[in-house]
Amino acid sequence: MPIMKLDRGHFNVELAGSESAPPLMLSNSLGTNLGMWDDQMPELAKRFHVVRYDSRGHGKSIAEPGPYSIADLAADALAILDRLGLERVHWLGLSKGGMVGQWLLTHAPQRLRKTILSNTAACMPPANNWNGRIRTVHAKGMQAITPAVLERWFTPEFRQREPAKVARIAAMLHATPAEGYAGCCAAIRDMDQREALHAVTAKDVLVITGARDPSTPPADGDLIRHSIKGAKGASLDAAHLSNIEQPQAFTRAVLEFLA
């Protein structure tokens, strides 16, 4: 099912694993696509019916001019689940995908089983930073922001040790439509979920942080974890894309939590 046509637009959706296994939905970060989860797929597909998709504005999914909102992105995910006939799923979202997961926890908790929020934040001011990034990609394209993004996403030693993996992620950035990227930047710019998180009653929430993440520092993850009563935490020795920099430790943390 490479392309799913919905009333909200078309979305690139990939399924893996047995349909009789517990369903798990994966939601990508800003500037990547569903391929960001490739390192996790062999183990996840053994145990779960995995649904991964290109977020609006990314990959092969719809990328109409924005701005978008986090509510828009969450509605996309729910529409995909509805089309697949999946009432409740485990959720694994990193960065922007974690922001969508927070919205679902506060607005559609009945659709979630266990929720993993990785390398993410409930609010990311100041707005001027996002406005500047939007202007840059509109004027100069995605290549103009790539060096700075990769510096935030990976530690210096990982960039030196794994140039092929870094290049693969750089290619995802370059392939992301500028309009779609800018639309999602606006969604993050306008997001503030800090107060809403205090109302979350779900007990099965894991917050993963990267100890060396400059984009969403550990303090951002701590705020989410302390706002959700009973939420658990895990810290990895990584920068922002912890699932790529520490794939084995990340996958192990996910599987232990979902077990």
Side-chain angles (χ1 to χ4, degrees):
M1 186 183 295
I3 298 297
M4 180 182 292
K5 295 182 179 179
L6 305 172
D7 291 342
R8 302 183 57 78
H10 65 273
F11 291 87
N12 186 39
V13 180
E14 290 190 3
L15 308 178
S18 171
E19 291 186 7
S20 63
L24 167 65
M25 193 169 203
L26 311 182
S27 187
N28 60 282
S29 71
L30 179 69
T32 64
N33 57 46
L34 57 77
M36 70 167 284
W37 301 109
D38 284 354
D39 289 342
Q40 280 69 54
M41 288 303 296
E43 291 301 319
L44 294 182
K46 290 179 184 177
R47 299 165 174 83
F48 301 98
H49 177 43
V50 183
V51 181
R52 56 178 177 163
Y53 68 106
D54 291 338
S55 172
R56 178 179 296 268
H58 292 69
K60 299 176 184 177
S61 291
I62 184 173
E64 85 284 24
Y68 315 150
S69 68
I70 297 298
D72 290 330
L73 304 181
D76 294 337
L78 292 174
I80 292 170
L81 293 181
D82 289 344
R83 174 62 63 85
L84 294 173
L86 297 173
E87 188 62 31
R88 297 180 71 228
V89 297
H90 297 309
W91 180 271
L92 170 55
L94 190 147
S95 193
K96 176 176 61 58
M99 297 168 192
V100 174
Q102 292 172 64
W103 192 97
L104 293 172
L105 278 169
T106 57
H107 292 82
Q110 73 280 4
R111 304 302 298 272
L112 301 179
R113 297 184 180 189
K114 294 186 176 183
T115 305
I116 302 172
L117 310 172
S118 179
N119 299 82
T120 192
C123 185
M124 291 192 72
N128 282 343
N129 286 353
W130 296 104
N131 292 334
R133 202 181 301 188
I134 291 169
R135 287 193 296 269
T136 297
V137 298
H138 277 150
K140 301 179 181 179
M142 294 296 293
Q143 286 82 352
I145 65 168
T146 299
V149 168
L150 294 178
E151 286 183 8
R152 294 192 299 270
W153 281 3
F154 301 113
T155 61
E157 53 267 41
F158 183 83
R159 297 198 304 272
Q160 183 175 10
R161 185 177 71 247
E162 300 285 359
K165 292 184 178 181
V166 174
R168 182 173 73 90
I169 300 303
M172 289 187 194
L173 268 169
H174 295 163
T176 301
E179 287 283 7
Y181 184 88
C184 286
C185 284
I188 299 172
R189 176 196 66 197
D190 299 338
M191 172 193 69
D192 189 346
Q193 306 195 77
R194 290 174 292 184
E195 287 301 318
L197 287 175
H198 291 288
V200 174
T201 58
K203 302 299 182 185
D204 293 322
V205 177
L206 173 66
V207 181
I208 298 177
T209 55
R212 302 171 64 185
D213 183 354
S215 294
T216 52
D220 288 339
D222 291 343
L223 184 150
I224 296 170
R225 182 167 55 86
H226 294 315
S227 298
I228 300 174
K229 186 177 181 180
K232 299 176 176 64
S235 176
L236 301 179
D237 182 19
H240 193 53
L241 296 192
S242 63
N243 72 307
I244 294 172
E245 186 158 357
Q246 293 285 352
Q248 294 178 333
F250 185 95
T251 304
R252 183 166 57 249
V254 168
L255 292 177
E256 289 176 355
F257 177 70
L258 295 180

